[in-house]
Amino acid sequence: MTIENTAWQLEDFVDSLVVELDKTRETLAVKAVNKPLSYSVKEVSLDLQTFPSYDGDQVRFVTAQPGQEGASKITIQLNSITDQQVRATTKMPGARTDIPIERIPVDKATKKQLRKLGVQSVDDLEHLKQKNVDLDQVGDGDIDYSTLNKQIQKSRRNQAPPIVTAVSLALDEEDQPYLRIEGANLSVDPAFPPVAAINQHVVEVISRNDGELRLRLEHDLQADNELVVALDEFSVVKVNVKAR
Amino acid sequence: MDEAFVPLSEMMRDMGSPPADLLDEDAGVHTYVTRFELESPVELDIGIDERGQVVIGSNPPLYVVDTSYRPVYHRIRFAAERSEVSDDH
């Protein structure tokens, strides 16, 4: 059931219009299976009588109702487009690791600014960085890029959270005991040296890679031990280790 | 969507059915439409469904009675061209 005369956004309307046109094309394509000659829709134009409103953020439209006068006319014209033109003008759907701007926890104003600049995802931002585009120059200059960068890193970290699968005791070449932490995504920021503490005593991180961390044991382990490791700015792992 | 309306794709399909080919075997003439354009006032029922998607219901003008309280007519135009479909499609 629909709610009539609800305000709608132009983008949503055009999306639905394109879906309707696709359905028309599909019907014609089925017809074409039987007939070698068929008709295809080339151009569609729609004049809409609407009342627009602007809430300071978005423009919305309400379709004019019977008896209402003074409506504005919007003309939407869809022309046929070749597959080559589609490829040249359309951004391919985001890679699996791409993060849409909507999912980055930054304020609404920053998101709006980025959208105005055509930035829809983190990959778009990276692309601009690679081209040496200074967004401060082209934007309104009110985007806090240091906060934005941090939030992007945080979102990326959320996509690859640290996983600890095992903690074990081992001896190095000099028969010195160390604690081995195994898992995944344990070292994603090379610029951030991990900090570890066992039972609230800071211990040295001997080595690290994505799948393993080695911690120097300077004190004997107790029956129950609390191990806390800050792997980078956005992830802290806390593990209870029982010694037997 | 009001039950008097149909999805826009159905209306376009029904309005846009081209006339059949004209074939005069005696004269050896085969005539067909290569392109047609259609323009019509249209009533629209634009709403939002429970998933938040815009639903476009449409219908050609239903009534010809001239009244003081008239429905709002929008306008649709579309063009369709005849094309040959290759076997590999």
Side-chain angles (χ1 to χ4, degrees):
Chain A
M1 192 181 153
T2 63
I3 304 157
E4 287 182 38
N5 289 323
T6 314
W8 39 267
Q9 286 179 262
L10 191 58
E11 188 184 352
D12 296 335
F13 179 82
V14 173
D15 282 349
S16 295
L17 183 59
V18 170
V19 169
E20 292 295 322
L21 284 180
D22 282 347
K23 283 182 191 166
T24 311
R25 286 202 184 97
E26 281 163 16
T27 311
L28 291 168
V30 172
K31 272 189 186 174
V33 172
N34 294 321
K35 291 184 176 180
L37 284 167
S38 180
Y39 290 87
S40 54
V41 177
K42 293 287 177 188
E43 300 147 22
V44 178
S45 169
L46 200 57
D47 295 343
L48 297 168
Q49 304 293 330
T50 63
F51 290 99
S53 64
Y54 179 57
D55 62 5
D57 187 30
Q58 288 175 328
V59 178
R60 291 174 186 274
F61 300 89
V62 178
T63 317
Q65 293 184 72
Q68 287 183 331
E69 289 182 2
S72 306
K73 186 176 88 171
I74 308 177
T75 299
I76 297 169
Q77 190 160 343
L78 301 175
N79 286 326
S80 56
I81 183 168
T82 64
D83 55 348
Q84 273 184 337
Q85 286 171 310
V86 170
R87 278 197 292 272
T89 56
T90 312
K91 186 183 167 233
M92 291 301 286
R96 205 173 287 177
T97 52
D98 197 8
I99 303 164
I101 290 297
E102 286 74 31
R103 283 186 26 213
I104 301 173
V106 288
D107 61 287
K108 219 174 160 183
T110 301
K111 285 180 189 173
K112 191 177 165 187
Q113 276 296 321
L114 290 171
R115 259 190 237 112
K116 275 186 188 174
L117 295 168
V119 176
Q120 304 279 356
S121 69
V122 171
D123 275 5
D124 286 347
L125 267 179
E126 297 287 334
H127 184 66
L128 288 173
K129 257 191 206 168
Q130 284 165 13
K131 298 264 177 186
N132 278 330
V133 176
D134 184 356
L135 290 179
D136 266 334
Q137 295 285 325
V138 292
D140 293 346
D142 49 6
I143 296 177
D144 183 349
Y145 286 99
S146 59
T147 308
L148 181 63
N149 264 334
K150 275 191 181 172
Q151 295 299 352
I152 287 172
Q153 285 172 27
K154 192 176 171 186
S155 295
R156 286 213 162 129
R157 192 49 162 142
N158 287 343
Q159 284 203 328
I163 299 164
V164 174
T165 52
V167 179
S168 56
L169 201 58
L171 293 174
D172 63 13
E173 295 83 9
E174 293 163 6
D175 285 344
Q176 294 295 314
Y178 69 87
L179 205 59
R180 183 163 63 197
I181 303 164
E182 291 165 275
N185 302 323
L186 297 178
S187 176
V188 296
D189 185 356
F192 189 98
V195 179
I198 299 174
N199 298 328
Q200 299 184 347
H201 293 286
V202 175
V203 294
E204 182 195 350
V205 178
I206 308 166
S207 68
R208 61 156 164 161
N209 60 45
D210 232 22
E212 186 187 278
L213 279 184
R214 291 185 181 191
L215 310 178
R216 173 89 59 216
L217 272 184
E218 286 156 8
H219 303 277
D220 289 339
L221 287 176
Q222 299 164 10
D224 284 307
N225 305 275
E226 185 189 67
L227 167 66
V228 180
V229 189
L231 295 164
D232 52 59
E233 213 174 339
F234 307 107
S235 46
V236 176
V237 174
K238 190 173 169 184
V239 184
N240 287 320
V241 182
K242 283 184 187 292
R244 285 183 289 180
Chain B
M1 193 192 304
D2 189 293
E3 60 183 18
F5 291 79
V6 294
L8 190 66
S9 56
E10 282 183 28
M11 192 198 72
M12 283 179 63
R13 186 197 61 200
D14 295 343
M15 288 172 87
S17 294
D21 292 3
L22 297 171
L23 202 60
D24 186 338
E25 286 181 6
D26 295 337
V29 178
H30 180 194
T31 308
Y32 57 87
V33 175
T34 56
R35 175 186 166 97
F36 66 91
E37 292 180 20
L38 188 142
E39 179 166 350
S40 168
V42 65
E43 285 185 56
L44 291 178
D45 175 26
I46 305 172
I48 295 176
D49 67 12
E50 59 275 8
R51 290 174 299 165
Q53 288 175 333
V54 172
V55 180
I56 308 171
S58 57
N59 231 333
L62 293 173
Y63 310 107
V64 291
V65 182
D66 195 11
T67 61
S68 58
Y69 194 71
R70 305 193 61 170
V72 176
Y73 290 131
H74 309 272
R75 186 161 282 272
I76 189 167
R77 285 180 294 275
F78 68 91
E81 274 181 19
R82 183 154 168 149
S83 55
E84 198 165 341
V85 181
S86 60
D87 288 341
D88 55 345
H89 281 83

